[in-house]
Amino acid sequence: MRLLLPFGLLLANTFADELAPQKYIDLVMDYLNTLPPEVEGPYGPLVFDSTTLQCAEDSLENLPKLPIENSRENVYQHMMMGLFIKGDENALDAIKAAMTADAWIYNGVFVIETMLNFDMHFVAANISANPDSWDFSAVNWTMTGSTDSELSEDYMADILEGHPMSADLSVLTEVIAPVLEGYEDVFMYSSARTVCQSPSIIQTDHWVCPLGFDPATASCPGGCADEGCVLEQTLEQVCGSYGQQSFNWGLSPLAGSWGMDWFEDQVGNYGPPALSGFQQLEILEGAAQAIASMNAFSGAPFAGDQFASAVQGWFDANSANYSTIVSDILNSGAYEGLDWLLTAGEFMTPDFGGNNRNASGGANYATSSNGYWQIYDMIDLVSVNGSWNIFGNEWNEGNASYVNFTMGHWNSWLESNEDEWGGNSQQLIEFWSTMEWFNAIRNGTMNIYGPGGEGGEGGTPGEIPIIVMESVEWPFPTGCITKTYQASINEYLTTHGKNSSLLTDMNSFWIQMSFEQGLDWTLAPGSVFEVLTGTAYGTISLQNFLNTIDPSGAKWAAFEGCWALPEFNSLIARIESQLLIGTFWDPPAAADSVEAGELFENANWNELRIDEECCSVDALSIAEDYDAMPNLDWIWASNSSLQIADQIFPLLDPACCDFNGTLLGFFNVTNQTDGYGSLHGDPHVIVQTQGQEAICFKLEANENGVYSLLTDSVSGLEATGELVHEDEKFVMEKVYITSPKGLQIEIDSYFLKIAREGKTILETLLGSFDEFGIDDVHFSLSGVASGEHNNAVKMTISGIKGEKIELLVATKQTKSSLRFSVLNSDGLSTSGLTGIIGESIMPNDYKIDQNGFVHIGNRVILGGKQSHDSNYDCLLLSDDDVALFIGHPVSDFQTIKTFELLEDLSTK
């Protein structure tokens, strides 16, 4: 065998950024400790002793964080990578056999996936620190089946009891219960039931019918087109039943070891310039990872080409710094020697696999390794003491010179093994020493393949069945909408002491509009503020209508006073919600349009309170009111309440609240210096640089953590936000700010805490102060300080050249969600800003040309995918373009907490 490489050092230089918790390594070792003294291999039992166990534990060092529904492959490939680096043939054979046995690939993976799902829900629940331990006494390692009677939900529940906090009530309800709800997904992956055996296509024919459509008399479905209905058709492929996946466990340990031996020689021989020791180790680790992730060869003649292609592909995808060097190595004449080995090995391995080194023969007892290691020393035949030059100086895609490697060389090596291959050595030597086999190996190495046989007749192509489902959508009577919002306006006017004559005047206006605009007229979404304040419809506006009735202007003045009240925004929010939701109202409980109308009128609209003052009405408060309306539950299957509320918020009166729309959500900045930006939980981002249209996008955060919002390396200002998964979305739960002078500020939905060098100097409940200053930060409170309402903490910070930086953190106590905004960036540096917002608000950071293309440095987002969001007056990027715009994957902005001042006091 070759010289063993520095195993621990190489694995410490892993490519993974985050490691798996120790409990996952403990699980693998718990399984492996049940195996000694032997494990069943492909050619009979193999020795599995304490030395093998130690090799297995070493190979698990620096195991990367495991992804859900890919744990089987990740654990196996990481262990094989470590074993190829170590180069121990006994451990390679025995551990490969153990990690491909049914007890692990089904049962063990079921346990791992259960634990991974537990950890995911535990983090989302934000209960406490997650202990890195697990009791595996409930795991039954004798179970080798993959049915749902073995990998059952009850078995999953038993496994979950192994977590140290499994008896905690909050863990039971917020973690274990949702894990059990996801049993089906865990079972499907663990049992390898991922191959669809009976696919089908669901064709949904959805008919959108016009106003006046009567479902009671129309022949629809069936004759919808005759009724003037428009067809919307979708196709979705589904699977009726699944078959079990077959696994490809890659190369034999012998072929992988030859490949590692060859690479070890090549990195040592490379140059000029020669590779440093560190570079050699990194390339060898990459080679080990590439070899561990390979599929088995499709045949001996193709072994060399497939090995080279897989290694090069791995380096191209994962280690670009070494890709060119590896290409040079693989395209050298030295590769012909490895090509020969791999080709010959694929031909010879099956015959040698069951022949044991101790010449006892048979496969009825455990041996240290498979018999195919008898031909390992064939490497000495072609390596020529590490120079690998027996086939000439150029590989030339397999067309090398064989002048120095003849049939005589081959037969001499075979005969040298007369005493090495057990009792049947002579028979094996005679079998392989023919010209037929020599030419077969040589031709395979040189990519010369024999003629193919005649092709068989093609089978009858299978037809995927199509299941047709029809549905009909019809507009419910618009009268239900008008009746509902008119009732809301009457309620608002009555609440503020207006008499019945004023209500009569309002109803007269609606009748007049029906004559002017048509009987089906109703307020259009987005028009409530303009209609009620008398600025819509010109000569037939509400103001002109009332002044016609009363030329003195007294009637209009009575109405106008109502629109100036601080509760006016809450009325706009309710009516705009009624209008927007009315555009897609189609409750599944409605049998026809009449019942749909009745359900709309009785949708508990009073939950949208019309007594809220200006600054209390925002997207979060509106969404909270939606959540209290049970008749809207069916909507949240395809939209979140906050998504709907976000469309309502820009329609409110912008002059009502002193800090206007910049407090909560998207905002439009026009005449500002340099750049501005905002992030709020779901999470949504909007940024704008001087002279450019604002750009907005949804931030797809895939995991809980702290993300960099803004860092100014010149001034020392830093702001980060902690995003956590809550229900179906992410919210920003905490904001951490470090001022240029080092003042540490932490804000959640309840408290503001300030420290210097980690020592708390002030902790106060939000809403309990007006304004104060500490060091280089002036704090002021905006908004309403009552228990259910929002607070907004504005921080004015001294920046570069004495200019101001203004940041704003807005809170919503009932949702434990924050929003972070940069209101004034004058005091920020004009270069070197980083963070999700910081990298996008520098001067000239992006430019939108006349074609709608967005230029960010040397990156360009082509027009066509993005759209203009009229609600927020910004260019809305598609999800595909977000990483290109910010220049990184979102995960690159994940960082670590530099301090922690507040306990989690949320009410979740």
Side-chain angles (χ1 to χ4, degrees), residues 576-600:
E576 290 290 1
S577 296
Q578 292 167 337
L579 297 176
L580 176 61
I581 293 173
T583 62
F584 57 82
W585 185 260
D586 186 19
D592 52 36
S593 60
V594 174
E595 189 172 351
E598 292 173 352
L599 290 173
F600 185 85

Side-chain angles (χ1 to χ4, degrees), residues 42 77 244 467 506:
Q77 291 177 10
Q244 199 160 40
I467 303 169
M506 193 79 238

Side-chain angles (χ1 to χ4, degrees), residues 50-64:
S50 59
T51 303
T52 312
L53 282 170
Q54 186 59 55
C55 286
E57 187 169 5
D58 291 344
S59 72
L60 286 163
E61 186 178 349
N62 290 316
L63 177 69

Side-chain angles (χ1 to χ4, degrees), residues 714-864:
V714 176
S715 69
L717 176 68
E718 180 180 13
T720 59
E722 185 168 5
L723 299 181
V724 297
H725 193 264
E726 185 177 275
D727 298 326
E728 298 300 320
K729 58 183 180 293
F730 277 85
V731 297
M732 187 157 59
E733 192 172 60
K734 289 184 180 181
V735 170
Y736 307 89
I737 298 171
T738 302
S739 77
K741 289 189 177 181
L743 196 68
Q744 297 168 323
I745 305 161
E746 183 175 341
I747 302 173
D748 67 8
S749 294
Y750 298 87
F751 291 94
L752 165 68
K753 196 164 187 176
I754 303 172
R756 293 192 191 100
E757 298 181 349
K759 185 177 181 180
T760 301
I761 58 177
L762 175 68
E763 181 175 359
T764 181
L765 186 69
L766 294 180
S768 63
F769 63 90
D770 292 323
E771 59 180 320
F772 62 91
I774 299 179
D775 294 350
D776 54 344
V777 185
H778 182 84
F779 298 85
S780 60
L781 186 70
S782 299
V784 181
S786 63
E788 293 184 350
H789 297 160
N790 297 298
N791 293 298
V793 181
K794 181 179 178 181
M795 289 155 282
T796 304
I797 303 170
S798 299
I800 61 173
K801 298 180 180 179
E803 297 288 348
K804 291 192 303 184
I805 305 167
E806 291 180 332
L807 308 179
L808 188 119
V809 177
T811 73
K812 181 64 178 178
Q813 294 171 345
T814 55
K815 289 291 184 180
S816 298
S817 179
L818 305 179
R819 303 189 184 202
F820 174 84
S821 301
V822 179
L823 301 182
N824 187 336
S825 62
D826 290 350
L828 293 174
S829 60
T830 56
S831 63
L833 297 181
T834 58
I836 294 170
I837 294 175
E839 293 191 11
S840 301
I841 66 172
M842 288 187 290
N844 304 314
D845 185 73
Y846 68 86
K847 180 179 180 181
I848 304 173
D849 65 22
Q850 66 274 15
N851 297 315
F853 295 0
V854 183
H855 300 260
I856 318 102
N858 60 359
R859 309 188 301 276
V860 180
I861 298 176
L862 302 180

Side-chain angles (χ1 to χ4, degrees), residues 4-12 22 25 28-29 32 50-63 78-86 88 91 95:
L4 300 185
L5 299 177
F7 180 65
L9 174 62
L10 277 174
L11 280 185
Q22 178 64 35
I25 296 175
V28 179
M29 294 307 300
L32 294 178
S50 59
T51 303
T52 312
L53 282 170
Q54 186 59 55
C55 286
E57 187 169 5
D58 291 344
S59 72
L60 286 163
E61 186 178 349
N62 290 316
L63 177 69
H78 181 80
M79 294 183 73
M80 293 306 294
M81 175 199 73
L83 294 168
F84 280 132
I85 290 173
K86 187 172 180 64
D88 186 316
I95 295 172

